[in-house]
Amino acid sequence: MVDQRSVDLNADVGESFGRWELGDDDALLHLVTSANVACGFHAGDPATLVATCSIAAERGVAVGAQVGYADLGGFGRRFIDMAPEELYADVLYQLGALDGIARSHGSAVSYVKPHGALYNAVVHHEEQAAAVVRAVAAYDPALPLLGLPGSVLLAAAAGRGLRTVREAFADRAYTPAGTLVSRREPGAVIHDPAVVAERVVRMVTAGQVEAVDGSVVTLEVDSVCVHGDSPGAVTIARAVRERLDAAGVTVRAFTGG
């Protein structure tokens, strides 16, 4: 048994755009320890990012740059076959923009996490993974990269001497191979707060999660993600925190050392 006694809890925030509001960032930022803030490419207008970074700074929540494809219409969930140099530039641009906003509030970007289709692509896509890693290393080699355990992204990051952070998903179904079930498949997102909370405790304390076929996947977890755009995200995040507290697991940002 892993019997881990601390873990980070993260959520995707800052994904509203103009008059279109998505999620309850204010409530989530009371519950999570790290915030994956959109950088304007897949979601998030400048005013939203300013407001989100302001709240995160006030609450002492770590700010992460959630970099993605330039795909507002598809919410960054459509794969784009980009040239590595173009993806490198896009990631670098997003990092600089969000870090500037965070610094205006006395904070700073303290880690990087790809979003959506880019996240899934860099599990296996070596060229895109290398482009993301190169952009992070060029901007600040002290920034950790958050990603799926066993991914090409984390292997490439470790190869360049970057800190890697292994992520699990509270509300997403897993395949027997330890990857995420496509959102196009039924049951890909889990909505029952009690079920999600129990899954997280098992992930953190036993290093296990049940896959969609009933098999058991072994995983190591540094940070657990609750999707901010999921219905009932706040209720789920609260249930997860309460259940982790009850299990004696401390919830704290991995950036705290």
Side-chain angles (χ1 to χ4, degrees), residues 6-24:
S6 67
V7 74
D8 175 56
L9 185 62
N10 76 70
D12 302 344
V13 294
E15 294 180 324
S16 297
F17 197 91
R19 296 180 64 184
W20 181 68
E21 294 185 7
L22 182 65
D24 187 346

Side-chain angles (χ1 to χ4, degrees), residues 3-248:
D3 197 25
Q4 190 167 318
R5 288 296 153 190
S6 67
V7 74
D8 175 56
L9 185 62
N10 76 70
D12 302 344
V13 294
E15 294 180 324
S16 297
F17 197 91
R19 296 180 64 184
W20 181 68
E21 294 185 7
L22 182 65
D24 187 346
D25 290 355
D26 185 68
L28 276 174
L29 289 170
H30 271 297
L31 297 166
V32 300
T33 45
S34 296
N36 315 315
V37 183
C39 298
F41 273 36
H42 79 274
D45 62 275
T48 294
L49 304 189
V50 168
T52 303
C53 287
S54 175
I55 297 170
E58 290 173 5
R59 308 263 170 85
V61 177
V63 171
Q66 188 164 40
V67 298
Y69 294 129
D71 179 30
L72 283 174
F75 198 62
R77 288 184 174 153
R78 299 179 292 196
F79 172 72
I80 299 178
D81 188 11
M82 302 178 67
E85 286 301 321
E86 185 180 359
L87 181 58
Y88 165 83
D90 278 6
V91 171
L92 199 56
Y93 184 97
Q94 291 174 79
L95 261 172
L98 188 68
D99 193 36
I101 292 172
R103 288 178 184 277
S104 75
H105 293 289
S107 182
V109 165
S110 57
Y111 67 95
V112 180
K113 174 186 172 178
H115 166 81
L118 179 59
Y119 187 100
N120 290 325
V122 295
V123 171
H124 302 293
H125 199 300
E126 294 184 359
E127 286 190 343
Q128 292 205 354
V132 172
V133 169
R134 189 160 63 89
V136 174
Y139 188 80
D140 183 352
L143 289 177
L145 257 171
L146 185 63
L148 198 71
S151 64
V152 169
L153 176 75
L154 295 193
R160 288 196 66 132
L162 300 183
R163 180 184 173 190
T164 60
V165 182
R166 299 162 298 189
E167 183 178 37
F169 289 83
D171 50 3
R172 290 293 306 278
Y174 279 79
T175 71
T179 57
L180 301 180
V181 173
S182 169
R183 285 180 177 269
R184 299 186 182 195
E185 300 295 326
V189 181
I190 303 166
H191 300 288
D192 187 323
V195 171
V196 171
E198 288 300 325
R199 278 166 51 91
V200 171
V201 170
R202 185 180 181 185
M203 289 174 180
V204 174
T205 62
Q208 297 177 339
V209 65
E210 184 176 318
V212 287
D213 67 347
S215 63
V216 175
V217 175
T218 300
L219 73 172
E220 293 181 278
V221 183
D222 301 309
S223 184
V224 176
C225 176
V226 173
H227 282 95
D229 64 311
S230 296
V234 174
T235 301
I236 289 173
R238 184 175 294 113
V240 168
R241 284 217 65 157
E242 291 174 352
R243 186 66 186 84
L244 287 171
D245 288 343

